[in-house]
């Protein structure tokens, strides 16, 4: 075998061989070192899963007896062997490797020189092999007792072009970068890579040491075009380099975290050592555990809750303080310990003191105050009695919430208020389960922890605005367990998951519209209706409470501003339209602010007296214009209406025109009021003779009933008698009849002519007096409501009590 056969042949761009002078040889013309003793006949050793490349020196385990015998024989003859990979590797589970057949091995491999043979403890033998060059099997000479074949040594080809040079340099740089990214490589490995003579050796080196798929490695072994192998290797190096860089970043992140943890641990240990030297060593976890254990035993916690707390404390003791579960359990134990299981305040039984407090805090509301005193009296005589659940129902601004605060003062209890308005999540009342991140108890237990006693007064504001059934549960149903005395002695919050006794808590609810309270909740309550304030009450409240509070709030002194009672009356009448006094207080505050600005600027030096004439300067133009009576006309009638801000008068107009008996109603009416119009029309048609109405009108003419202030929604049955009177006035006689004088009416009509009682009598009567009404017609059954109105506020009014429409007809129309 000649030296020429062992060289890498350089080809020019046309594929012709190129011979370079020795002075111009470079690493791009790497040769296979010549060895004149390479035989043409070699013993074949099959490789199961390994694929070897020239330049490798590797220990190789000989697992089969045939391979061991073949290598032993070769070492006595050469010691050269052909290391040829199997076509299909044998599975690892094969207990005994069969003797190879020629069809089992490939035709391409490497020639190796067996350097040393070793015996292994497991009975196998290992041989250290130096791989020298590629070989190709041409034909087999023997197959028993091992394979012997004729071989040839194929020659690599390489095109010496700029592109291939650039590819060789890129691959070499990638290999160097890869070594930098892989820590812990042996020094000899880097030295061997740095001394690669050319692209052929580079491709074999990379193929031997980079983890590539078996098929790709075999392809590199059989490929004789060096530039083709170089392209494959460059791509593999780029891929491995990216993976190595990613692994390096991950490794750096992990190292930083580990170093931080180790640093913190080291600092903590140092801190412990310093404290130990100073005699101040305290294990924070042990200290916390001891504190929790002492509180569990000393806080008067019921046995069931204490048992659960001890169980959780045992879990806490074995957890690392850095564990998220540690904080969850710690927070849970803190809640159990912080709740007032047994702490409470003593109730005051002084009823006279309670009367004084109620009179001091609120003006008027005589019936409401009496009901509260009765409630407190029963509480004094029988403390263990659960008592009624009070609900204050009334328009905004009448003092419902402040009444709850006054009851707390009367009893000497702590007060806690939270609003239920718009609450749609059941968990806000009964808490979240501990399995959720950020879980906490509901508002009830939060309030108890805040007041630190188990018998406070809980004010549940706006219970009529409690959200209904939703995807987050039904909060109104959750409130049933809270408010029912038969159930709340074992109230179960989802977070705490331990029964808590709410029977000592006094719950007071407030609502604006009683009809909006869910039925099951309303059934458990004793509703105390709080009516709107009359004029005298508003003025007196302003004198006693609002004016002094606003003078102080705006930095003034009583010697710097004065409000007369007539002026306060004018503010109520011209600038506020409400049942309560909130807007009245805002108006008084606005006047005080403007006066404060003048005082602060030095504009005034003496006391400012607010007068009727100066009110527009402070408050702007008059904002409330109450409906007043006009001269009575045919087809009209005046009714009385109730609104959330007080009573008002309601004018009804009717007209007739040639037509075909159509009936039209306008005025932004609700369904109930439209039905009242239909009832009035049916009553008149059924009693047309008694009412002196021509029946043919309903066939030859069109009728129109209108309720002025069309933008204001109107509904309810109390306008029935007024609608009937307006239609009778329009249709009776030939040209209709006029209503009698300054008269207003209210009451529900039936088809048989009965007048039924209605609500809001107090506010309606006061509105009638303010509008200049002289006679008020009310249902007979509402006499008791009229009797409850202070006599001095309705002085000069005449009341007519109607049982049927016949009683209304004689008083209202001149028939």
């Amino acid at each position: 075998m000649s030296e020429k056969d062992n060289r890498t042949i350089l080809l020019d761009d046309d594929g012709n061989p190129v011979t370079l002078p020795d002075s111009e040889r470079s690493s791009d013309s790497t040769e296979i070192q010549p060895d004149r003793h390479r035989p043409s006949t070699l013993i074949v050793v099959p490789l199961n899963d390994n694929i070897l490349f020239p330049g490798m020196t590797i220990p190789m385990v000989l697992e089969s007896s045939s391979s061991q015998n073949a290598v032993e024989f070769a070492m006595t003859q050469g010691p050269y062997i052909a290391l040829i990979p199997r076509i299909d590797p044998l599975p690892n589970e094969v207990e005994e490797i069969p003797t190879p057949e020629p069809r089992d091995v490939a035709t391409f491999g490497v020639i190796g020189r067996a350097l040393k043979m070793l015996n292994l403890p497991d009975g196998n033998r290992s041989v250290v092999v130096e791989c020298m060059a590629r070989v190709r099997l041409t034909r087999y000479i023997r197959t028993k007792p091992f394979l012997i074949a004729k071989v040839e040594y194929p020659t690599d080809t390489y095109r010496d072009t700029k592109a291939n040079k650039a590819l060789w340099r890129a691959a070499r740089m990638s290999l160097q970068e890869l070594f930098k990214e892989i820590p812990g490589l042996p020094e000899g490995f880097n030295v061997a890579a740095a001394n690669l003579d050319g692209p052929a050796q580079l491709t074999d080196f990379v193929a031997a040491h980079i983890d590539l798929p078996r098929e790709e490695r075999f392809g590199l072994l059989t490929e004789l075009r060096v530039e083709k192998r170089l392209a494959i290797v460059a791509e593999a190096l780029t891929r491995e380099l990216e993976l190595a860089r990613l692994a390096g970043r991950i490794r750096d992140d992990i190292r930083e975290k580990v170093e931080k943890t180790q640093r913190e641990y080291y600092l903590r240990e140092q801190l412990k050592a310093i404290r130990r030297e100073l005699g101040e060593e305290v294990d924070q976890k042990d200290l916390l555990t001891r504190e929790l254990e002492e509180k569990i035993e000393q806080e008067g916690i019921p046995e069931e809750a204490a048992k659960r707390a001890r169980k959780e404390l045992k879990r806490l003791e074995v957890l690392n303080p850095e564990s998220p579960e540690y904080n969850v359990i710690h927070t849970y134990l803190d809640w159990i310990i912080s709740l007032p299981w047994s702490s409470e305040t003593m109730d005051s039984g002084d009823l006279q003191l309670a009367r004084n407090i109620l009179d001091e805090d609120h003006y008027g509301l005589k019936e409401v105050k009496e009901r509260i005193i009765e409630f407190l009296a029963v509480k004094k005589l029988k403390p263990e009695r659960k008592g009624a659940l009070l609900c204050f129902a009334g328009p905004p601004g009448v003092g419902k919430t402040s009444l709850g605060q006054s009851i707390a003062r009367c009893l000497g209890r702590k007060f806690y208020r939270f609003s239920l308005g718009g609450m749609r999540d059941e968990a806000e009342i009964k808490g979240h389960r501990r399995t959720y991140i950020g879980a906490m108890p509901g508002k009830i237990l939060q309030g108890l922890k805040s007041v630190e006693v188990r018998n406070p007064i809980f004010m549940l504001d706006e219970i009529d605005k409690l959200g209904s059934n939703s995807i987050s549960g039904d909060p109104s149903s959750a409130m049933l367990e809270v408010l029912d005395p038969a159930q709340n002695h074992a109230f179960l919050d989802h977070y705490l998951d331990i029964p808590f006794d709410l029977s000592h808590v006094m719950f007071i609810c407030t609502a604006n519209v009683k009809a909006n309270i869910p039925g099951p909740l309303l059934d458990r309550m004793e509703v105390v209706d709080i009516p709107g304030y009359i004029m005298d009450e508003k003025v007196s409240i302003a004198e006693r409470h609002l004016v002094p509070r606003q003078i102080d709030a705006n930095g003034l002194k009583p010697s710097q501003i004065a409000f007369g009672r007539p002026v306060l009356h004018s503010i109520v009448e011209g600038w506020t339209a409400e049942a309560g006094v909130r807007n009245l207080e805002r108006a008084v505050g606005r006047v005080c602010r403007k006066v404060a600005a003048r005082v602060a600027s030095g504009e005034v030096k003496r006391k400012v007296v607010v007068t009727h004439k100066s009110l527009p300067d402070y408050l702007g133009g008059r904002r409330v214009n109450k409906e007043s009576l006009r001269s009575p006309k045919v087809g009209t009638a005046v009714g009385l209406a109730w609104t959330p801000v007080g009573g008002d008068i309601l004018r009804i107009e009717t007209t007739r025109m040639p037509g075909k008996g159509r009936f039209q109603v306008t005025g932004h009416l609700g369904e109930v009021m439209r039905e009242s119009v239909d009832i009035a029309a049916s009553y008149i048609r059924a009693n047309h003779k008694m009412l002196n109405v021509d029946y043919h009108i309903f066939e030859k003419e069109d009728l129109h009933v209108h309720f002025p202030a069309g933008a204001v929604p109107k509904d309810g049955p109390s306008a029935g008698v007024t609608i009937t009177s307006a239609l009778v006035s329009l249709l009776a006689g030939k040209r209709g009849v006029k209503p009698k004088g300054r008269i207003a009416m209210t009451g529900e009509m039936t088809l048989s002519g009965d007048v039924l009682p209605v609500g809001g009598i107090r506010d309606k009567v006061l509105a009638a007096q303010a509008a200049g009404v002289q006679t008020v017609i009310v249902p007979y059954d509402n006499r008791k409501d009229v009797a409850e109105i202070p006599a001095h506020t309705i002085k000069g009014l005449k009341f007519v009590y109607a049982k049927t429409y016949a009683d209304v007809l004689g008083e209202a129309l001149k028939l």
Side-chain angles (χ1 to χ4, degrees):
M1 184 175 181
S2 66
E3 180 179 346
K4 180 179 179 181
D5 294 333
N6 294 310
R7 297 172 181 267
T8 299
I9 299 177
L10 301 180
L11 306 177
D12 60 17
D13 293 338
D14 296 327
N16 300 316
V18 177
T19 303
L20 296 177
D22 292 340
S23 60
E24 296 184 8
R25 283 187 192 276
S26 67
S27 60
D28 291 332
S29 60
T30 303
E31 295 181 354
I32 300 175
Q33 293 298 323
D35 188 336
R36 301 185 183 280
H37 300 291
R38 288 180 184 166
S40 59
T41 302
L42 291 173
I43 296 172
V44 177
V45 177
L47 302 177
N48 187 45
D49 203 19
N50 234 350
I51 296 179
L52 304 181
F53 290 86
M56 295 177 66
T57 299
I58 183 173
M60 187 175 61
V61 177
L62 304 172
E63 296 181 348
S64 67
S65 57
S66 61
S67 296
Q68 294 175 9
N69 295 334
V71 173
E72 286 180 358
F73 182 78
M75 292 183 71
T76 63
Q77 300 296 320
Y80 296 101
I81 54 177
L83 301 168
I84 312 297
R86 287 180 179 269
I87 296 174
D88 296 316
L90 297 173
N92 295 329
E93 295 80 10
V94 175
E95 296 182 359
E96 184 176 350
I97 300 176
T99 302
E101 298 290 338
R103 65 175 179 274
D104 296 331
V105 296
T107 59
F108 227 99
V110 294
I111 179 175
R113 181 167 58 195
L115 302 179
K116 188 176 182 180
M117 202 162 184
L118 303 171
N119 296 322
L120 300 179
D122 60 357
N124 291 327
R125 304 187 75 183
S126 173
V127 61
V128 179
V129 180
E130 177 188 6
C131 302
M132 302 175 64
R134 285 172 171 79
V135 294
R136 182 189 293 118
L137 306 185
T138 56
R139 63 186 178 85
Y140 283 93
I141 300 174
R142 294 180 62 179
T143 59
K144 300 295 183 180
F146 32 75
L147 299 177
I148 301 177
K150 285 284 186 179
V151 299
E152 65 179 11
Y153 298 90
T155 304
D156 290 341
T157 62
Y158 176 69
R159 295 179 181 274
D160 190 20
T161 64
K162 290 183 179 180
N164 289 339
K165 285 183 179 181
L167 188 60
W168 143 246
R169 289 172 183 167
R172 187 169 55 187
M173 292 177 62
S174 296
L175 184 61
Q176 294 172 356
E177 290 294 324
L178 183 61
F179 289 155
K180 294 178 183 178
E181 294 293 335
I182 302 177
L185 285 176
E187 185 65 28
F189 196 80
N190 293 336
V191 172
N195 288 284
L196 296 173
D197 290 336
Q201 288 190 13
L202 174 69
T203 59
D204 290 341
F205 182 85
V206 173
H209 295 94
I210 298 297
D211 186 17
L212 300 174
R214 189 176 190 275
E215 294 77 9
E216 194 170 337
R217 290 167 65 86
F218 189 72
L220 287 170
L221 179 64
T222 59
E223 180 59 64
L224 299 179
R225 293 170 296 175
V226 176
E227 59 268 22
K228 183 67 174 177
R229 297 207 306 261
L230 197 59
I232 298 172
V233 165
E235 181 181 350
L237 283 171
T238 302
R239 185 170 63 245
E240 289 296 320
L241 182 60
E242 290 298 320
L243 291 174
R245 285 173 176 167
L246 178 60
R249 289 196 294 270
I250 295 173
R251 186 173 58 252
D252 291 342
D253 291 342
I254 294 174
R255 184 174 60 249
E256 287 179 6
K257 293 178 182 178
V258 171
E259 288 176 353
K260 180 181 179 183
T261 303
Q262 290 177 340
R263 181 173 176 273
E264 290 177 355
Y265 176 78
Y266 177 72
L267 291 174
R268 288 195 189 98
E269 291 301 318
Q270 278 189 322
L271 186 59
K272 288 181 181 179
I274 293 171
R275 286 176 174 171
R276 192 182 303 114
E277 291 296 326
L278 295 174
E280 300 176 355
E281 182 183 10
V282 177
D283 190 306
Q284 296 298 320
K285 180 181 176 181
D286 292 342
L287 179 61
L288 175 63
T289 303
R290 288 198 301 269
E291 289 178 356
L292 291 174
E293 187 174 6
E294 290 174 1
K295 289 180 179 180
I296 291 172
E297 301 302 329
Q298 296 177 3
E299 292 292 330
I301 301 176
E303 183 55 34
E304 183 178 355
K307 183 177 179 181
R308 173 68 68 85
R310 295 188 196 101
K311 180 180 178 181
E312 294 295 331
L313 186 60
K314 288 181 179 179
R315 293 181 58 199
L316 190 72
E317 291 174 350
V318 300
L319 287 175
N320 189 327
E322 303 298 327
S323 169
E325 185 70 14
Y326 184 90
N327 292 326
V328 172
I329 297 176
H330 181 202
T331 304
Y332 178 72
L333 288 172
D334 185 60
W335 269 103
I336 293 180
I337 293 169
S338 301
L339 288 175
W341 299 93
S342 57
S343 176
E344 61 181 26
T345 56
M346 294 297 295
D347 288 350
S348 171
D350 192 340
L351 295 184
Q352 186 55 48
L353 176 63
R355 291 182 188 274
N356 294 339
I357 291 174
L358 289 174
D359 290 336
E360 178 185 338
D361 292 347
H362 299 86
Y363 181 84
L365 304 178
K366 181 179 178 181
E367 292 185 11
V368 177
K369 292 177 182 178
E370 286 299 322
R371 178 64 189 89
I372 293 173
I373 293 298
E374 292 169 5
F375 181 85
L376 298 179
V378 173
K379 203 76 176 169
K380 176 182 178 180
L381 296 176
K382 194 170 185 179
E384 69 277 7
R385 184 176 183 271
K386 300 301 181 183
L389 171 63
L390 294 181
C391 177
F392 297 143
V398 295
K400 299 184 295 295
T401 303
S402 60
L403 274 173
Q405 294 173 329
S406 298
I407 294 174
R409 285 183 59 199
C410 295
L411 288 173
R413 293 192 182 190
K414 292 191 176 182
F415 180 81
Y416 184 81
R417 169 197 169 273
F418 69 90
S419 176
L420 298 174
M423 186 179 290
R424 295 185 176 275
D425 191 351
E426 178 187 336
E428 291 192 52
I429 298 170
K430 301 197 68 174
H432 302 80
R433 300 194 182 278
R434 279 198 293 158
T435 52
Y436 296 105
I437 297 175
M440 61 189 305
K443 290 283 189 182
I444 302 299
L445 293 191
Q446 289 181 38
L448 287 170
K449 181 182 179 183
S450 175
V451 298
E452 299 180 340
V453 292
R454 66 173 183 172
N455 65 335
I457 289 183
F458 262 38
M459 174 67 76
L460 306 179
D461 243 346
E462 314 291 353
I463 197 167
D464 57 325
K465 299 176 181 63
L466 188 66
S468 59
N469 199 354
S470 68
I471 59 173
S472 300
D474 186 359
S476 63
S477 297
M479 288 302 298
L480 293 177
E481 183 182 359
V482 174
L483 300 179
D484 193 342
Q487 301 180 39
N488 65 11
H489 66 279
F491 171 70
L492 193 66
D493 185 275
H494 290 155
Y495 177 84
L496 199 67
D497 202 25
I498 303 172
F500 191 94
D501 187 1
L502 295 181
S503 61
H504 301 277
V505 180
M506 180 177 176
F507 292 99
I508 299 176
C509 304
T510 70
N512 294 131
V513 183
K514 183 169 57 177
N516 291 343
I517 302 175
L521 280 178
L522 185 63
D523 184 59
R524 286 163 170 76
M525 301 175 184
E526 180 175 336
V527 180
V528 179
D529 291 307
I530 302 179
Y533 294 114
I534 61 177
M535 177 65 73
D536 287 348
E537 290 175 336
K538 291 181 180 180
V539 173
S540 296
I541 291 171
E543 280 186 322
R544 294 188 181 192
H545 302 285
L546 307 185
V547 171
R549 186 158 64 213
Q550 287 300 317
I551 289 175
D552 179 68
N554 289 283
L556 295 173
K557 299 178 181 178
S559 59
Q560 293 175 315
I561 187 172
F563 287 84
R565 189 176 180 88
V567 171
L568 293 173
H569 190 286
S570 297
I571 294 176
V572 173
E573 192 176 54
W575 281 269
T576 65
E578 58 179 345
V581 291
R582 282 182 184 156
N583 287 330
L584 175 57
E585 183 170 10
R586 293 190 185 103
V588 171
R590 186 175 180 185
V591 174
C592 291
R593 288 194 299 273
K594 289 189 177 294
V595 172
R598 295 174 61 190
V599 170
S601 63
E603 184 179 339
V604 295
K605 302 292 185 180
R606 56 182 182 178
K607 187 174 187 176
V608 176
V609 178
V610 183
T611 63
H612 292 281
K613 186 177 180 180
S614 63
L615 279 179
D617 296 331
Y618 294 120
L619 301 176
R622 187 183 179 96
R623 297 184 179 182
V624 179
N625 295 304
K626 288 281 186 179
E627 184 73 34
S628 58
L629 290 184
R630 302 175 185 175
S631 300
K633 298 179 180 179
V634 173
T636 64
V638 178
L640 298 173
W642 179 90
T643 68
V645 296
D648 202 355
I649 65 171
L650 175 68
R651 292 190 303 111
I652 299 177
E653 301 175 345
T654 61
T655 188
R656 54 197 279 190
M657 61 209 80
K660 298 181 180 180
R662 288 175 298 182
F663 203 86
Q664 187 175 4
V665 182
T666 56
H668 204 333
L669 306 183
E671 190 65 29
V672 176
M673 188 167 277
R674 287 184 175 275
E675 291 177 355
S676 296
V677 176
D678 294 337
I679 291 171
S682 298
Y683 174 78
I684 294 172
R685 293 177 68 177
N687 298 276
H688 66 279
K689 292 183 179 180
M690 181 193 76
L691 298 173
N692 195 24
V693 174
D694 183 2
Y695 188 82
H696 297 291
I697 292 175
F698 298 103
E699 299 173 351
K700 299 178 180 179
E701 296 185 13
D702 292 341
L703 302 179
H704 188 165
V705 180
H706 177 63
F707 296 77
V712 180
K714 310 170 190 71
D715 202 6
S718 62
V721 295
T722 314
I723 298 169
T724 305
S725 298
L727 287 172
V728 171
S729 171
L730 177 72
L731 302 176
K734 292 185 178 181
R735 297 183 179 179
V737 294
K738 276 188 178 184
K740 290 182 180 179
R742 306 173 71 81
I743 190 169
M745 63 194 76
T746 184
E748 180 180 354
M749 271 285 292
T750 68
L751 285 173
S752 60
D754 293 331
V755 179
L756 302 182
V758 293
I761 292 297
R762 182 174 182 266
D763 292 325
K764 292 177 180 179
V765 170
L766 293 176
Q769 186 191 47
V773 173
Q774 296 174 340
T775 303
V776 179
I777 301 176
V778 297
Y780 184 83
D781 291 336
N782 284 122
R783 288 176 302 164
K784 64 181 185 305
D785 298 307
V786 176
E788 293 175 355
I789 304 173
H792 69 278
T793 62
I794 54 175
K795 188 177 180 180
L797 280 180
K798 175 187 175 183
F799 290 91
V800 175
Y801 301 105
K803 291 184 178 181
T804 65
Y805 185 71
D807 300 330
V808 178
L809 190 62
E811 290 290 337
L813 301 175
K814 300 176 181 179
L815 288 178

